[in-house]
Amino acid sequence: MITDLIGKEFSESLEKGKSFFLKYDYVRVLAHYDGDGTSASIILTKLLLRNSKKFHLGFIKDLSSEGFSKRIMEEPNLPTIVVDAGSDQLKFLKGDTAEILVLDHHFYSGGSKKELNINARDFGIDGTREACGATMAFVFALFISEENADLLPFMVSGAIADKQDLGSFRGLNKTLIEKYGKNVEKKHVLNLDGESILDALVYSVDPFIKNISGSLEGTRKVLEKLSINPETKPEDLTREDTLKLGSYLGYVLSFQGAHSEAMSYLEKDEMYFNNGFSASLLAKIIDANSKNGDNNIPIEFFMGNNSLKNEMISNKRKYETRLIDYITRSYKSITKEKNLQFFYAPGSEMAGAISGQLMLYLLDQDKPVIGFNVGDDSTLISSRGNRRMVERGLNLSKVMKECTEKVGGSGGGHDIAAGGSIPRGMERQFIEIADEMIGKQLNPNKNE
């Protein structure tokens, strides 16, 4: 039982959430638009359908105080479940609303309706590494009924989308996988997915490998050099070919300056679910469709509309092609400050994905990266660091919250990855404030 895996206080909060769930026949679900939020929404929509509940599903992109409030107040009289967001935004709501249940894992500061704000961090769980939005949705579904254990694949896809599998799963994620994934097939393989090893390498974003990712010619040369048949499926590589390719890719990543975390991403303990997808492929498909703005496609597919499979997989390919191009272009335009590095995203709503890959695989590993996505009136910000910086004192959640507020915006997130929104035209001022604050976090004893 799920109650055997979590503490008393967590169970008590879930009981309140269950009362909310059973009270209403029609609810609105609002999820963060990324791979984690979309995975969580698949869990919740399946849960609602299984309990004969009617629902309306929507997604949130703008988590600023204004953006969140506007989204909620579009239908203030609807009971609402917010997942993978909400804990830090509830305090911004003005006016009366119907009941709101939040399932979240991000840092937040007071002022929330705590009795319906179920956040992993309130129960001693690290929301950056041990539980994501999909984890919270899965735990909630299990609390409603253990028969929802078959929704595990979507919890795993959400955790992978949030990079909580880096260095292996841990904490609550690990506990849930061990408990409810006992019968899932597992195999240690290279972290490559595709119809062929050629296809897998050319479209590889995780890992991102210079002169291979996005380069058909470069990939062919490497495979020819290693005497590996380019048409071989990744899972069908011989042990010898796997070792050769893994060693070569490790050398390339090391040479291009990738962080040690990236090296661990070369291999994985893959899970193969009975829905026909591996864990990593499922995560990549859901995340890609989400970032393309096509969140509804994987949701409808996993609700039973099999006619969407080809479109869903095609969207993954389109997203990877675009992201590889944007990563390459952003890498060439990086500006370095004393304590941080930044870029302007070449495409809308891609700054977060670009920042993550740049930080993990390509950039100076001693400075966090900040990406700007400039809109008509506001600029969205995404920031990424690494574990070593966090151990030295980096907390990007605080940086985003405090520095955005100083220029008229808002922000938050995790210590290692966070985001925000500021008025357009305030980017330079924001960089100067953030650069100073990050310097103090990373070098607290340094004399100014």
Side-chain angles (χ1 to χ4, degrees), residues 33 39 111 187 271 338 341 344 351 373:
Y33 79 102
S39 295
K187 185 179 178 182
M271 287 177 272
K338 185 176 181 180
Q341 45 204 330
Y344 287 84
N373 172 31

PDB file of all heavy atoms in Angstrom, residues 33 39 111 187 271 338 341 344 351 373:
ATOM      1  N   TYR A  33       3.078  22.986 -18.673  1.00  0.00           N
ATOM      2  CA  TYR A  33       3.018  22.514 -20.054  1.00  0.00           C
ATOM      3  C   TYR A  33       4.147  21.571 -20.458  1.00  0.00           C
ATOM      4  O   TYR A  33       4.128  21.013 -21.558  1.00  0.00           O
ATOM      5  CB  TYR A  33       3.022  23.708 -21.007  1.00  0.00           C
ATOM      6  CG  TYR A  33       4.390  24.315 -21.239  1.00  0.00           C
ATOM      7  CD1 TYR A  33       5.106  24.050 -22.398  1.00  0.00           C
ATOM      8  CD2 TYR A  33       4.989  25.137 -20.289  1.00  0.00           C
ATOM      9  CE1 TYR A  33       6.366  24.587 -22.609  1.00  0.00           C
ATOM     10  CE2 TYR A  33       6.245  25.672 -20.478  1.00  0.00           C
ATOM     11  CZ  TYR A  33       6.929  25.402 -21.645  1.00  0.00           C
ATOM     12  OH  TYR A  33       8.184  25.927 -21.841  1.00  0.00           O
ATOM     13  N   SER A  39       2.959  14.474 -18.387  1.00  0.00           N
ATOM     14  CA  SER A  39       2.917  13.110 -17.849  1.00  0.00           C
ATOM     15  C   SER A  39       1.968  13.045 -16.658  1.00  0.00           C
ATOM     16  O   SER A  39       1.171  12.111 -16.524  1.00  0.00           O
ATOM     17  CB  SER A  39       4.323  12.666 -17.427  1.00  0.00           C
ATOM     18  OG  SER A  39       5.192  12.569 -18.537  1.00  0.00           O
ATOM     19  N   GLY A 111       1.919  31.845   2.457  1.00  0.00           N
ATOM     20  CA  GLY A 111       0.754  32.538   1.925  1.00  0.00           C
ATOM     21  C   GLY A 111      -0.181  31.660   1.137  1.00  0.00           C
ATOM     22  O   GLY A 111      -1.112  32.161   0.521  1.00  0.00           O
ATOM     23  N   LYS A 187      16.923  -3.451 -18.671  1.00  0.00           N
ATOM     24  CA  LYS A 187      18.127  -3.830 -19.412  1.00  0.00           C
ATOM     25  C   LYS A 187      19.098  -2.652 -19.410  1.00  0.00           C
ATOM     26  O   LYS A 187      18.687  -1.504 -19.586  1.00  0.00           O
ATOM     27  CB  LYS A 187      17.748  -4.208 -20.848  1.00  0.00           C
ATOM     28  CG  LYS A 187      18.899  -4.736 -21.697  1.00  0.00           C
ATOM     29  CD  LYS A 187      18.388  -5.105 -23.089  1.00  0.00           C
ATOM     30  CE  LYS A 187      19.516  -5.596 -23.977  1.00  0.00           C
ATOM     31  NZ  LYS A 187      19.034  -5.923 -25.347  1.00  0.00           N
ATOM     32  N   MET A 271      13.896   0.735 -18.778  1.00  0.00           N
ATOM     33  CA  MET A 271      12.685  -0.010 -18.437  1.00  0.00           C
ATOM     34  C   MET A 271      11.821  -0.126 -19.680  1.00  0.00           C
ATOM     35  O   MET A 271      11.654   0.852 -20.421  1.00  0.00           O
ATOM     36  CB  MET A 271      11.911   0.709 -17.332  1.00  0.00           C
ATOM     37  CG  MET A 271      12.556   0.614 -15.966  1.00  0.00           C
ATOM     38  SD  MET A 271      11.651   1.558 -14.697  1.00  0.00           S
ATOM     39  CE  MET A 271      12.425   3.160 -14.893  1.00  0.00           C
ATOM     40  N   LYS A 338      30.855  37.657 -15.277  1.00  0.00           N
ATOM     41  CA  LYS A 338      31.791  37.201 -14.246  1.00  0.00           C
ATOM     42  C   LYS A 338      31.342  35.899 -13.590  1.00  0.00           C
ATOM     43  O   LYS A 338      32.153  34.987 -13.354  1.00  0.00           O
ATOM     44  CB  LYS A 338      31.954  38.291 -13.189  1.00  0.00           C
ATOM     45  CG  LYS A 338      33.004  37.967 -12.128  1.00  0.00           C
ATOM     46  CD  LYS A 338      33.171  39.147 -11.164  1.00  0.00           C
ATOM     47  CE  LYS A 338      34.235  38.832 -10.108  1.00  0.00           C
ATOM     48  NZ  LYS A 338      34.403  39.974  -9.160  1.00  0.00           N
ATOM     49  N   GLN A 341      26.580  32.922 -17.508  1.00  0.00           N
ATOM     50  CA  GLN A 341      26.628  33.006 -18.965  1.00  0.00           C
ATOM     51  C   GLN A 341      25.184  33.022 -19.469  1.00  0.00           C
ATOM     52  O   GLN A 341      24.296  32.421 -18.857  1.00  0.00           O
ATOM     53  CB  GLN A 341      27.426  31.840 -19.550  1.00  0.00           C
ATOM     54  CG  GLN A 341      27.120  30.487 -18.961  1.00  0.00           C
ATOM     55  CD  GLN A 341      28.247  29.486 -19.105  1.00  0.00           C
ATOM     56  OE1 GLN A 341      29.042  29.508 -20.033  1.00  0.00           O
ATOM     57  NE2 GLN A 341      28.316  28.552 -18.167  1.00  0.00           N
ATOM     58  N   TYR A 344      20.172  34.523 -25.882  1.00  0.00           N
ATOM     59  CA  TYR A 344      18.799  34.784 -26.293  1.00  0.00           C
ATOM     60  C   TYR A 344      18.353  33.617 -27.172  1.00  0.00           C
ATOM     61  O   TYR A 344      18.998  33.307 -28.173  1.00  0.00           O
ATOM     62  CB  TYR A 344      18.702  36.100 -27.063  1.00  0.00           C
ATOM     63  CG  TYR A 344      18.835  37.321 -26.175  1.00  0.00           C
ATOM     64  CD1 TYR A 344      20.090  37.806 -25.820  1.00  0.00           C
ATOM     65  CD2 TYR A 344      17.704  37.970 -25.680  1.00  0.00           C
ATOM     66  CE1 TYR A 344      20.220  38.916 -24.991  1.00  0.00           C
ATOM     67  CE2 TYR A 344      17.828  39.087 -24.847  1.00  0.00           C
ATOM     68  CZ  TYR A 344      19.094  39.549 -24.513  1.00  0.00           C
ATOM     69  OH  TYR A 344      19.211  40.642 -23.697  1.00  0.00           O
ATOM     70  N   ALA A 351      13.801  28.281 -24.536  1.00  0.00           N
ATOM     71  CA  ALA A 351      14.950  28.656 -23.712  1.00  0.00           C
ATOM     72  C   ALA A 351      15.266  27.618 -22.648  1.00  0.00           C
ATOM     73  O   ALA A 351      16.430  27.335 -22.352  1.00  0.00           O
ATOM     74  CB  ALA A 351      14.714  30.025 -23.063  1.00  0.00           C
ATOM     75  N   ASN A 373      13.781  34.287 -23.507  1.00  0.00           N
ATOM     76  CA  ASN A 373      12.821  34.151 -24.599  1.00  0.00           C
ATOM     77  C   ASN A 373      11.991  35.434 -24.616  1.00  0.00           C
ATOM     78  O   ASN A 373      11.098  35.618 -23.792  1.00  0.00           O
ATOM     79  CB  ASN A 373      11.935  32.923 -24.381  1.00  0.00           C
ATOM     80  CG  ASN A 373      10.800  32.856 -25.378  1.00  0.00           C
ATOM     81  OD1 ASN A 373      10.933  33.299 -26.508  1.00  0.00           O
ATOM     82  ND2 ASN A 373       9.666  32.323 -24.951  1.00  0.00           N
TER      83      ASN A 373
END
